[in-house]
Amino acid sequence: MGKSGFYQHDGDDIVFRGFNKISIDNKGRLAVPCRYRELISVQAENSLVITLNPLDRSLWLYPLPEWEVIEDKLASLSDFDKQSRRTKQMMRGYATDCQLDSQGRILIPKELRDYSELSKKVVIFGQGNKFEIWNEKAWEVQRVEWLETTGDDSVPTPESLQSLSL
Amino acid sequence: MGKSGFYQHDGDDIVFRGFNKISIDNKGRLAVPCRYRELISVQAENSLVITLNPLDRSLWLYPLPEWEVIEDKLASLSDFDKQSRRTKQMMRGYATDCQLDSQGRILIPKELRDYSELSKKVVIFGQGNKFEIWNEKAWEVQRVEWLETTGDDSVPTPESLQSLSL
DNA sequence: CACGAAGTGGGGAATTGTGGGTAAAAGTGG
DNA sequence: CCACTTTTACCCACAATTCCCCACTTCGTG
């Protein structure tokens, strides 16, 4: 499905992949790459939820139906474990609804832009059920670091990776 | 199947092999060697996924069905281990769908060309379930280095390789 | 040598990304 | 409750990229 297979849609599962460098204009708007728009329109009626990524200084962008699944999972986390509680608070607290406008753009709330230090140049890439949005420079730094450790025999590799055949 | 044995297609398993020197034109397009095209057309409806090879500075090109297997493996990696998370992000994030055009070419995204330093001359070779694409010069260097170390007893050989009968 | 198949290159149309003007809406303070 | 400021949404226009098509070159084969 989709004119060039940039996503799959098997039953209820969406899989986003692919990478784009794009810019945020000085009004704080981000244009979702065109090839994803049709699916978002059909599957989520242009409704998206953007929130912070608790693991990296970046943002996560979910189609609304996918977010609802996440929200249920968060709701079931214990309130008595501090890390769980914080994760719940952060991800739900910063989750903001947004709609694709007529040009396929979304407005990213200032709070979230600040958190992830999004300025002019950003990268957005598919990551399964969601997109991840990074400051371009920050992303480059991570990529270089990762390349240096991966394939470097002196850095221990977790088992799950060692046994991975690609 | 295949007029000169450059691939097999046993059930759902594809095996690519063989080596080609080809060029990328100045629009960033790469012509997939003709002898693979029919299989790609039949088995993947001309849909391919290209992504970076985390272990060498080269690219991997999968037929879509083969990529989906990889994607599932990646999806199951832990998010809480940084190296695993990065691997997931990089490989899925850079994975770009592409279609063979009417001349049997694909457009390689600029990001990936930059990463693997693909300029005019490249080599593409079959590697089981995928193709590997290298800058020609970089490949020559690797080949020379490999010839020097293989058979050199001072360089340790992993057990799995030691027990390999060729 | 002639032919066909494979690889290469480029023009131009269509699509996609970017920026900004202006109107509507929402938030703020008196 | 109203006037004022700030933010958000819609529209249009330009720039860049990608895609589609046609033509030429090169190579192997009979």
Side-chain angles (χ1 to χ4, degrees), chain A residues 4-6 8 15 17-19 21 55-56 125-128 132 139 142-143 145-147 150 156 158 160-161 164-166, chain B residues 54 57 60 62 64 67-68 70-71 73 79 81-83 85-95 97 111 115 129-130:
Chain A
S4 45
F6 285 101
Q8 298 162 335
V15 179
R17 53 175 167 259
F19 181 95
K21 280 191 187 182
L55 302 170
D56 294 300
F125 52 86
Q127 203 62 196
E132 218 165 296
W139 172 253
Q142 292 305 315
R143 193 177 51 131
E145 184 184 312
W146 174 75
L147 282 172
T150 305
S160 57
L161 270 186
L164 189 61
S165 164
L166 296 169
Chain B
R57 285 244 155 186
W60 280 338
Y62 295 86
L64 181 57
W67 170 254
E68 285 168 353
I70 304 300
E71 186 144 334
K73 290 186 190 177
D79 278 319
D81 170 70
K82 190 172 169 187
Q83 213 180 333
R85 185 167 78 252
R86 288 282 180 267
T87 300
K88 189 193 279 199
Q89 287 170 323
M90 297 284 166
M91 290 207 58
R92 290 205 297 188
Y94 283 100
D97 289 77
E111 278 301 313
Y115 167 81
N129 57 345
K130 62 182 167 290

Short mmCIF file of all heavy atoms in Angstrom, two decimals, chain A residues 4-6 8 15 17-19 21 55-56 125-128 132 139 142-143 145-147 150 156 158 160-161 164-166, chain B residues 54 57 60 62 64 67-68 70-71 73 79 81-83 85-95 97 111 115 129-130:
data_model
loop_
_atom_site.label_atom_id
_atom_site.label_comp_id
_atom_site.label_asym_id
_atom_site.label_seq_id
_atom_site.Cartn_x
_atom_site.Cartn_y
_atom_site.Cartn_z
N SER A 4 4.92 4.13 -3.03
CA SER A 4 6.26 3.59 -3.16
C SER A 4 6.74 2.89 -1.91
O SER A 4 7.92 2.79 -1.66
CB SER A 4 7.23 4.70 -3.56
OG SER A 4 7.00 5.84 -2.78
N GLY A 5 5.79 2.39 -1.13
CA GLY A 5 6.17 1.50 -0.04
C GLY A 5 6.99 2.14 1.06
O GLY A 5 7.84 1.50 1.65
N PHE A 6 6.77 3.40 1.37
CA PHE A 6 7.52 4.01 2.44
C PHE A 6 6.98 3.63 3.79
O PHE A 6 7.50 3.99 4.81
CB PHE A 6 7.57 5.53 2.29
CG PHE A 6 8.51 5.93 1.22
CD1 PHE A 6 8.06 6.28 -0.02
CD2 PHE A 6 9.86 5.87 1.45
CE1 PHE A 6 8.94 6.62 -1.01
CE2 PHE A 6 10.76 6.21 0.45
CZ PHE A 6 10.28 6.59 -0.77
N GLN A 8 4.32 0.39 5.67
CA GLN A 8 3.47 -0.76 5.48
C GLN A 8 2.28 -0.56 6.36
O GLN A 8 2.32 0.12 7.35
CB GLN A 8 4.18 -2.03 5.95
CG GLN A 8 5.42 -2.31 5.17
CD GLN A 8 6.29 -3.27 5.92
OE1 GLN A 8 6.21 -3.37 7.14
NE2 GLN A 8 7.13 -3.96 5.18
N VAL A 15 4.29 0.85 9.89
CA VAL A 15 5.73 0.89 10.07
C VAL A 15 6.29 2.06 9.27
O VAL A 15 6.24 2.07 8.04
CB VAL A 15 6.40 -0.42 9.60
CG1 VAL A 15 7.90 -0.33 9.77
CG2 VAL A 15 5.84 -1.61 10.36
N ARG A 17 9.55 4.29 8.17
CA ARG A 17 11.00 4.26 8.09
C ARG A 17 11.44 5.36 7.15
O ARG A 17 10.63 6.01 6.50
CB ARG A 17 11.49 2.89 7.61
CG ARG A 17 10.87 2.43 6.33
CD ARG A 17 11.48 1.13 5.84
NE ARG A 17 10.66 0.56 4.81
CZ ARG A 17 9.80 -0.43 5.00
NH1 ARG A 17 9.66 -0.97 6.19
NH2 ARG A 17 9.06 -0.88 4.00
N GLY A 18 12.77 5.56 7.08
CA GLY A 18 13.28 6.57 6.17
C GLY A 18 13.68 7.84 6.89
O GLY A 18 13.24 8.09 8.00
N PHE A 19 14.51 8.59 6.21
CA PHE A 19 15.23 9.69 6.83
C PHE A 19 15.07 10.96 6.01
O PHE A 19 15.13 10.91 4.80
CB PHE A 19 16.72 9.29 6.89
CG PHE A 19 17.61 10.28 7.53
CD1 PHE A 19 17.93 10.17 8.86
CD2 PHE A 19 18.14 11.34 6.79
CE1 PHE A 19 18.78 11.09 9.46
CE2 PHE A 19 18.98 12.25 7.38
CZ PHE A 19 19.30 12.13 8.72
N LYS A 21 16.25 15.28 6.07
CA LYS A 21 16.69 16.55 6.66
C LYS A 21 15.68 17.59 6.26
O LYS A 21 15.41 17.77 5.07
CB LYS A 21 18.04 16.97 6.06
CG LYS A 21 19.23 16.28 6.65
CD LYS A 21 20.51 16.96 6.19
CE LYS A 21 21.72 16.16 6.65
NZ LYS A 21 22.98 16.79 6.28
N LEU A 55 14.37 9.11 26.41
CA LEU A 55 15.67 8.44 26.35
C LEU A 55 16.75 9.28 25.69
O LEU A 55 17.93 9.11 25.96
CB LEU A 55 15.53 7.12 25.59
CG LEU A 55 14.51 6.13 26.19
CD1 LEU A 55 14.28 4.97 25.24
CD2 LEU A 55 14.98 5.62 27.53
N ASP A 56 16.34 10.16 24.80
CA ASP A 56 17.28 11.04 24.12
C ASP A 56 16.68 12.43 24.09
O ASP A 56 15.50 12.60 24.29
CB ASP A 56 17.52 10.57 22.67
CG ASP A 56 18.22 9.22 22.58
OD1 ASP A 56 19.34 9.13 23.09
OD2 ASP A 56 17.63 8.29 22.02
N PHE A 125 13.06 11.02 11.24
CA PHE A 125 13.14 9.69 10.63
C PHE A 125 12.10 8.77 11.21
O PHE A 125 11.69 8.89 12.36
CB PHE A 125 14.55 9.09 10.74
CG PHE A 125 15.13 9.08 12.12
CD1 PHE A 125 14.86 8.04 13.00
CD2 PHE A 125 15.95 10.10 12.53
CE1 PHE A 125 15.42 8.02 14.26
CE2 PHE A 125 16.51 10.10 13.80
CZ PHE A 125 16.23 9.06 14.66
N GLY A 126 11.66 7.84 10.37
CA GLY A 126 10.68 6.86 10.78
C GLY A 126 11.29 5.89 11.78
O GLY A 126 12.46 5.54 11.68
N GLN A 127 10.48 5.48 12.73
CA GLN A 127 10.97 4.57 13.75
C GLN A 127 9.80 3.67 14.17
O GLN A 127 9.30 3.74 15.29
CB GLN A 127 11.53 5.37 14.91
CG GLN A 127 12.53 4.67 15.79
CD GLN A 127 13.81 4.23 15.07
OE1 GLN A 127 14.53 3.42 15.59
NE2 GLN A 127 14.09 4.71 13.85
N GLY A 128 9.40 2.84 13.21
CA GLY A 128 8.30 1.92 13.50
C GLY A 128 6.97 2.64 13.59
O GLY A 128 6.48 3.18 12.62
N GLU A 132 10.92 10.13 14.86
CA GLU A 132 11.79 10.76 15.83
C GLU A 132 12.34 12.03 15.20
O GLU A 132 12.71 12.04 14.03
CB GLU A 132 12.92 9.78 16.20
CG GLU A 132 13.31 9.82 17.65
CD GLU A 132 14.15 8.63 18.11
OE1 GLU A 132 13.64 7.50 18.09
OE2 GLU A 132 15.30 8.86 18.51
N TRP A 139 22.12 15.07 16.29
CA TRP A 139 22.02 13.77 15.63
C TRP A 139 23.37 13.35 15.04
O TRP A 139 23.80 12.20 15.19
CB TRP A 139 20.95 13.82 14.54
CG TRP A 139 20.91 12.59 13.69
CD1 TRP A 139 21.33 12.46 12.41
CD2 TRP A 139 20.45 11.29 14.10
NE1 TRP A 139 21.16 11.17 11.98
CE2 TRP A 139 20.61 10.44 13.00
CE3 TRP A 139 19.90 10.78 15.28
CZ2 TRP A 139 20.27 9.09 13.04
CZ3 TRP A 139 19.56 9.44 15.32
CH2 TRP A 139 19.74 8.62 14.21
N GLN A 142 25.66 11.99 17.63
CA GLN A 142 25.32 10.62 18.02
C GLN A 142 25.73 9.61 16.97
O GLN A 142 26.19 8.51 17.29
CB GLN A 142 23.81 10.51 18.26
CG GLN A 142 23.33 11.27 19.47
CD GLN A 142 24.07 10.88 20.73
OE1 GLN A 142 24.29 9.70 21.00
NE2 GLN A 142 24.49 11.88 21.50
N ARG A 143 25.57 9.99 15.72
CA ARG A 143 25.89 9.06 14.65
C ARG A 143 27.39 8.77 14.63
O ARG A 143 27.81 7.61 14.50
CB ARG A 143 25.46 9.64 13.30
CG ARG A 143 25.47 8.62 12.19
CD ARG A 143 24.97 9.21 10.92
NE ARG A 143 25.69 10.45 10.64
CZ ARG A 143 26.24 10.73 9.47
NH1 ARG A 143 26.14 9.91 8.48
NH2 ARG A 143 26.87 11.88 9.29
N GLU A 145 29.47 9.04 17.11
CA GLU A 145 29.80 8.27 18.30
C GLU A 145 29.45 6.80 18.11
O GLU A 145 30.22 5.90 18.44
CB GLU A 145 29.03 8.85 19.49
CG GLU A 145 29.36 8.21 20.83
CD GLU A 145 28.49 8.76 21.93
OE1 GLU A 145 28.35 10.00 22.03
OE2 GLU A 145 27.91 7.94 22.68
N TRP A 146 28.29 6.58 17.54
CA TRP A 146 27.83 5.22 17.33
C TRP A 146 28.73 4.47 16.36
O TRP A 146 29.08 3.31 16.56
CB TRP A 146 26.40 5.26 16.81
CG TRP A 146 25.82 3.95 16.41
CD1 TRP A 146 25.38 2.98 17.25
CD2 TRP A 146 25.59 3.49 15.08
NE1 TRP A 146 24.89 1.93 16.51
CE2 TRP A 146 25.02 2.22 15.18
CE3 TRP A 146 25.81 4.03 13.82
CZ2 TRP A 146 24.66 1.47 14.07
CZ3 TRP A 146 25.46 3.30 12.71
CH2 TRP A 146 24.90 2.03 12.83
N LEU A 147 29.13 5.16 15.29
CA LEU A 147 30.01 4.51 14.31
C LEU A 147 31.33 4.13 14.94
O LEU A 147 31.93 3.12 14.58
CB LEU A 147 30.25 5.46 13.13
CG LEU A 147 29.11 5.55 12.14
CD1 LEU A 147 29.36 6.64 11.13
CD2 LEU A 147 28.92 4.21 11.43
N THR A 150 30.50 1.01 17.31
CA THR A 150 30.10 -0.20 16.60
C THR A 150 31.24 -0.65 15.72
O THR A 150 31.75 0.11 14.92
CB THR A 150 28.86 0.07 15.74
OG1 THR A 150 27.84 0.59 16.57
CG2 THR A 150 28.37 -1.20 15.07
N PRO A 156 32.60 -3.27 24.57
CA PRO A 156 31.77 -4.47 24.69
C PRO A 156 30.42 -4.30 23.98
O PRO A 156 29.82 -3.24 24.01
CB PRO A 156 31.56 -4.60 26.20
CG PRO A 156 31.81 -3.24 26.76
CD PRO A 156 32.81 -2.59 25.84
N PRO A 158 26.54 -5.67 23.54
CA PRO A 158 25.55 -6.48 24.23
C PRO A 158 25.21 -7.76 23.45
O PRO A 158 25.30 -7.77 22.22
CB PRO A 158 24.33 -5.57 24.32
CG PRO A 158 24.58 -4.45 23.38
CD PRO A 158 26.06 -4.33 23.21
N SER A 160 22.54 -9.28 22.67
CA SER A 160 21.46 -9.25 21.68
C SER A 160 21.99 -8.73 20.34
O SER A 160 21.51 -9.11 19.29
CB SER A 160 20.33 -8.37 22.17
OG SER A 160 20.81 -7.08 22.45
N LEU A 161 22.99 -7.86 20.43
CA LEU A 161 23.56 -7.32 19.19
C LEU A 161 24.56 -8.30 18.58
O LEU A 161 24.61 -8.47 17.37
CB LEU A 161 24.29 -6.01 19.48
CG LEU A 161 23.50 -4.72 19.38
CD1 LEU A 161 24.41 -3.53 19.56
CD2 LEU A 161 22.78 -4.63 18.05
N LEU A 164 23.15 -10.82 16.37
CA LEU A 164 22.25 -10.30 15.34
C LEU A 164 22.84 -10.51 13.95
O LEU A 164 23.95 -10.08 13.67
CB LEU A 164 22.03 -8.81 15.59
CG LEU A 164 20.98 -8.09 14.77
CD1 LEU A 164 19.61 -8.68 15.02
CD2 LEU A 164 20.97 -6.60 15.11
N SER A 165 22.09 -11.17 13.13
CA SER A 165 22.51 -11.37 11.74
C SER A 165 21.67 -10.50 10.84
O SER A 165 20.45 -10.60 10.85
CB SER A 165 22.34 -12.83 11.37
OG SER A 165 22.38 -12.98 9.98
N LEU A 166 22.33 -9.65 10.07
CA LEU A 166 21.57 -8.68 9.27
C LEU A 166 21.66 -8.96 7.76
O LEU A 166 21.77 -10.02 7.31
CB LEU A 166 22.08 -7.27 9.55
CG LEU A 166 21.87 -6.79 10.98
CD1 LEU A 166 22.64 -5.52 11.23
CD2 LEU A 166 20.39 -6.56 11.24
N PRO B 54 26.27 -0.69 9.23
CA PRO B 54 26.90 -0.10 10.41
C PRO B 54 28.33 -0.56 10.64
O PRO B 54 29.05 0.05 11.41
CB PRO B 54 25.99 -0.55 11.55
CG PRO B 54 25.34 -1.79 11.06
CD PRO B 54 25.21 -1.64 9.57
N ARG B 57 31.86 1.26 5.94
CA ARG B 57 31.29 2.46 5.32
C ARG B 57 30.70 2.11 3.96
O ARG B 57 31.18 2.56 2.92
CB ARG B 57 32.36 3.52 5.16
CG ARG B 57 32.70 4.20 6.45
CD ARG B 57 32.33 5.67 6.38
NE ARG B 57 32.10 6.19 7.71
CZ ARG B 57 31.65 7.41 7.96
NH1 ARG B 57 31.38 8.23 6.97
NH2 ARG B 57 31.44 7.81 9.18
N TRP B 60 23.70 -1.17 2.31
CA TRP B 60 23.04 -2.44 2.08
C TRP B 60 21.74 -2.20 1.34
O TRP B 60 20.98 -1.28 1.67
CB TRP B 60 22.73 -3.14 3.42
CG TRP B 60 23.91 -3.83 4.01
CD1 TRP B 60 25.03 -4.26 3.37
CD2 TRP B 60 24.09 -4.19 5.40
NE1 TRP B 60 25.89 -4.86 4.26
CE2 TRP B 60 25.35 -4.84 5.50
CE3 TRP B 60 23.31 -4.03 6.55
CZ2 TRP B 60 25.84 -5.32 6.71
CZ3 TRP B 60 23.80 -4.52 7.74
CH2 TRP B 60 25.06 -5.16 7.82
N TYR B 62 18.32 -4.19 0.22
CA TYR B 62 17.51 -5.39 0.40
C TYR B 62 16.26 -5.34 -0.47
O TYR B 62 15.64 -4.28 -0.60
CB TYR B 62 16.98 -5.47 1.84
CG TYR B 62 17.99 -5.64 2.93
CD1 TYR B 62 18.64 -4.55 3.50
CD2 TYR B 62 18.26 -6.91 3.44
CE1 TYR B 62 19.55 -4.72 4.55
CE2 TYR B 62 19.16 -7.07 4.49
CZ TYR B 62 19.80 -5.98 5.04
OH TYR B 62 20.68 -6.14 6.06
N LEU B 64 12.41 -5.69 -0.56
CA LEU B 64 11.51 -5.36 0.56
C LEU B 64 11.19 -6.54 1.48
O LEU B 64 11.28 -6.41 2.70
CB LEU B 64 10.24 -4.71 0.03
CG LEU B 64 9.21 -4.28 1.07
CD1 LEU B 64 9.81 -3.32 2.09
CD2 LEU B 64 8.00 -3.64 0.41
N TRP B 67 14.01 -7.16 3.78
CA TRP B 67 14.17 -6.09 4.75
C TRP B 67 13.19 -6.24 5.91
O TRP B 67 13.52 -5.98 7.06
CB TRP B 67 14.01 -4.72 4.11
CG TRP B 67 13.93 -3.66 5.15
CD1 TRP B 67 12.81 -2.97 5.55
CD2 TRP B 67 14.99 -3.20 6.01
NE1 TRP B 67 13.13 -2.12 6.57
CE2 TRP B 67 14.46 -2.25 6.88
CE3 TRP B 67 16.35 -3.52 6.12
CZ2 TRP B 67 15.22 -1.59 7.84
CZ3 TRP B 67 17.11 -2.88 7.08
CH2 TRP B 67 16.55 -1.93 7.93
N GLU B 68 12.00 -6.67 5.59
CA GLU B 68 10.98 -6.78 6.65
C GLU B 68 11.42 -7.74 7.74
O GLU B 68 11.11 -7.55 8.91
CB GLU B 68 9.64 -7.19 6.04
CG GLU B 68 8.99 -6.03 5.30
CD GLU B 68 7.81 -6.43 4.44
OE1 GLU B 68 7.56 -7.64 4.29
OE2 GLU B 68 7.15 -5.52 3.90
N ILE B 70 14.55 -8.20 8.64
CA ILE B 70 15.55 -7.44 9.41
C ILE B 70 14.85 -6.45 10.34
O ILE B 70 15.22 -6.30 11.50
CB ILE B 70 16.47 -6.66 8.46
CG1 ILE B 70 17.12 -7.58 7.44
CG2 ILE B 70 17.51 -5.89 9.25
CD1 ILE B 70 17.97 -8.66 8.03
N GLU B 71 13.84 -5.81 9.80
CA GLU B 71 13.14 -4.80 10.59
C GLU B 71 12.53 -5.41 11.85
O GLU B 71 12.58 -4.81 12.93
CB GLU B 71 12.05 -4.14 9.73
CG GLU B 71 11.39 -3.00 10.44
CD GLU B 71 11.04 -1.86 9.48
OE1 GLU B 71 11.68 -1.68 8.44
OE2 GLU B 71 10.11 -1.15 9.81
N LYS B 73 13.70 -7.99 13.43
CA LYS B 73 14.80 -8.26 14.37
C LYS B 73 15.19 -6.98 15.11
O LYS B 73 15.42 -6.99 16.32
CB LYS B 73 16.02 -8.79 13.62
CG LYS B 73 15.87 -10.19 13.07
CD LYS B 73 17.21 -10.64 12.48
CE LYS B 73 17.07 -11.93 11.68
NZ LYS B 73 18.34 -12.33 11.05
N ASP B 79 15.37 -0.81 24.10
CA ASP B 79 15.55 0.63 24.02
C ASP B 79 16.41 1.17 25.15
O ASP B 79 16.84 2.31 25.11
CB ASP B 79 14.19 1.34 24.06
CG ASP B 79 13.53 1.35 22.71
OD1 ASP B 79 14.23 1.56 21.71
OD2 ASP B 79 12.31 1.13 22.65
N ASP B 81 19.27 -0.10 26.37
CA ASP B 81 20.71 -0.19 26.16
C ASP B 81 21.05 0.75 25.01
O ASP B 81 20.48 0.66 23.93
CB ASP B 81 21.10 -1.63 25.80
CG ASP B 81 22.54 -1.71 25.33
OD1 ASP B 81 23.42 -1.53 26.17
OD2 ASP B 81 22.76 -1.91 24.12
N LYS B 82 21.99 1.66 25.28
CA LYS B 82 22.23 2.73 24.31
C LYS B 82 22.68 2.21 22.95
O LYS B 82 22.21 2.66 21.91
CB LYS B 82 23.27 3.70 24.87
CG LYS B 82 23.42 4.97 24.04
CD LYS B 82 24.31 5.98 24.74
CE LYS B 82 24.67 7.13 23.81
NZ LYS B 82 25.66 8.03 24.41
N GLN B 83 23.60 1.27 22.99
CA GLN B 83 24.13 0.78 21.71
C GLN B 83 23.05 0.08 20.87
O GLN B 83 22.99 0.25 19.66
CB GLN B 83 25.30 -0.16 21.97
CG GLN B 83 26.36 -0.08 20.88
CD GLN B 83 27.51 -1.03 21.16
OE1 GLN B 83 27.79 -1.36 22.30
NE2 GLN B 83 28.18 -1.46 20.11
N ARG B 85 19.86 0.69 21.13
CA ARG B 85 18.91 1.71 20.70
C ARG B 85 19.43 2.45 19.47
O ARG B 85 18.70 2.67 18.51
CB ARG B 85 18.66 2.70 21.84
CG ARG B 85 17.59 3.72 21.53
CD ARG B 85 17.15 4.48 22.75
NE ARG B 85 18.05 5.53 23.18
CZ ARG B 85 18.83 5.49 24.26
NH1 ARG B 85 18.83 4.43 25.02
NH2 ARG B 85 19.59 6.50 24.58
N ARG B 86 20.71 2.79 19.51
CA ARG B 86 21.29 3.50 18.37
C ARG B 86 21.26 2.65 17.11
O ARG B 86 20.98 3.15 16.02
CB ARG B 86 22.73 3.90 18.69
CG ARG B 86 22.85 5.01 19.69
CD ARG B 86 22.58 6.38 19.09
NE ARG B 86 22.71 7.39 20.13
CZ ARG B 86 21.70 7.84 20.87
NH1 ARG B 86 20.46 7.43 20.62
NH2 ARG B 86 21.90 8.72 21.81
N THR B 87 21.57 1.40 17.25
CA THR B 87 21.56 0.52 16.08
C THR B 87 20.17 0.51 15.45
O THR B 87 20.01 0.64 14.24
CB THR B 87 21.98 -0.90 16.49
OG1 THR B 87 23.30 -0.85 17.03
CG2 THR B 87 21.95 -1.84 15.30
N LYS B 88 19.20 0.39 16.31
CA LYS B 88 17.81 0.41 15.84
C LYS B 88 17.48 1.72 15.14
O LYS B 88 16.96 1.75 14.03
CB LYS B 88 16.91 0.23 17.08
CG LYS B 88 15.47 0.02 16.79
CD LYS B 88 14.65 0.17 18.06
CE LYS B 88 14.64 -1.05 18.93
NZ LYS B 88 13.50 -1.05 19.89
N GLN B 89 17.86 2.81 15.79
CA GLN B 89 17.55 4.12 15.22
C GLN B 89 18.24 4.33 13.88
O GLN B 89 17.65 4.82 12.92
CB GLN B 89 18.00 5.23 16.18
CG GLN B 89 17.13 5.36 17.40
CD GLN B 89 17.75 6.30 18.44
OE1 GLN B 89 18.97 6.31 18.62
NE2 GLN B 89 16.92 7.06 19.13
N MET B 90 19.52 3.97 13.83
CA MET B 90 20.29 4.22 12.62
C MET B 90 19.79 3.37 11.46
O MET B 90 19.50 3.87 10.39
CB MET B 90 21.78 3.92 12.86
CG MET B 90 22.42 4.77 13.91
SD MET B 90 22.77 6.45 13.34
CE MET B 90 23.10 7.25 14.91
N MET B 91 19.68 2.07 11.72
CA MET B 91 19.35 1.21 10.60
C MET B 91 17.93 1.40 10.12
O MET B 91 17.66 1.43 8.93
CB MET B 91 19.61 -0.25 10.96
CG MET B 91 21.08 -0.51 11.09
SD MET B 91 21.48 -2.22 10.76
CE MET B 91 20.84 -2.45 9.12
N ARG B 92 17.01 1.56 11.06
CA ARG B 92 15.63 1.81 10.61
C ARG B 92 15.48 3.22 10.10
O ARG B 92 14.76 3.48 9.14
CB ARG B 92 14.64 1.57 11.76
CG ARG B 92 14.52 0.13 12.15
CD ARG B 92 13.20 -0.13 12.80
NE ARG B 92 13.03 0.62 14.04
CZ ARG B 92 12.01 0.43 14.86
NH1 ARG B 92 11.07 -0.45 14.58
NH2 ARG B 92 11.93 1.12 15.97
N GLY B 93 16.14 4.14 10.79
CA GLY B 93 16.00 5.55 10.41
C GLY B 93 16.50 5.83 9.01
O GLY B 93 15.87 6.57 8.27
N TYR B 94 17.62 5.22 8.65
CA TYR B 94 18.16 5.49 7.33
C TYR B 94 17.59 4.58 6.26
O TYR B 94 17.88 4.76 5.08
CB TYR B 94 19.69 5.39 7.36
CG TYR B 94 20.35 6.61 7.97
CD1 TYR B 94 20.80 6.61 9.28
CD2 TYR B 94 20.49 7.77 7.22
CE1 TYR B 94 21.39 7.73 9.84
CE2 TYR B 94 21.07 8.89 7.76
CZ TYR B 94 21.53 8.87 9.07
OH TYR B 94 22.10 9.98 9.61
N ALA B 95 16.82 3.60 6.68
CA ALA B 95 16.26 2.67 5.69
C ALA B 95 15.27 3.42 4.80
O ALA B 95 14.28 3.95 5.27
CB ALA B 95 15.56 1.51 6.40
N ASP B 97 12.91 3.40 1.33
CA ASP B 97 12.30 2.62 0.26
C ASP B 97 12.66 3.20 -1.09
O ASP B 97 12.71 4.41 -1.25
CB ASP B 97 10.79 2.64 0.40
CG ASP B 97 10.34 1.84 1.58
OD1 ASP B 97 10.48 2.33 2.72
OD2 ASP B 97 9.88 0.73 1.37
N GLU B 111 21.90 11.60 1.64
CA GLU B 111 22.44 11.24 2.95
C GLU B 111 23.28 9.98 2.90
O GLU B 111 24.37 9.91 3.46
CB GLU B 111 21.28 10.97 3.92
CG GLU B 111 20.69 12.18 4.53
CD GLU B 111 21.72 12.96 5.30
OE1 GLU B 111 22.47 12.37 6.09
OE2 GLU B 111 21.79 14.18 5.05
N TYR B 115 27.30 9.35 3.37
CA TYR B 115 27.77 8.44 4.41
C TYR B 115 28.81 7.47 3.87
O TYR B 115 29.87 7.26 4.46
CB TYR B 115 26.59 7.66 4.99
CG TYR B 115 26.98 6.49 5.84
CD1 TYR B 115 27.35 6.67 7.16
CD2 TYR B 115 26.99 5.20 5.32
CE1 TYR B 115 27.73 5.58 7.93
CE2 TYR B 115 27.36 4.12 6.08
CZ TYR B 115 27.73 4.31 7.39
OH TYR B 115 28.10 3.25 8.16
N ASN B 129 21.15 -12.35 1.30
CA ASN B 129 19.81 -11.76 1.25
C ASN B 129 19.83 -10.31 0.77
O ASN B 129 18.78 -9.68 0.71
CB ASN B 129 19.15 -11.84 2.62
CG ASN B 129 19.97 -11.17 3.71
OD1 ASN B 129 21.16 -10.87 3.52
ND2 ASN B 129 19.34 -10.91 4.83
N LYS B 130 21.00 -9.78 0.49
CA LYS B 130 21.10 -8.36 0.15
C LYS B 130 22.27 -8.11 -0.79
O LYS B 130 23.06 -9.00 -1.10
CB LYS B 130 21.31 -7.54 1.42
CG LYS B 130 22.59 -7.89 2.15
CD LYS B 130 22.74 -7.11 3.43
CE LYS B 130 23.85 -7.67 4.31
NZ LYS B 130 23.51 -8.97 4.91
#
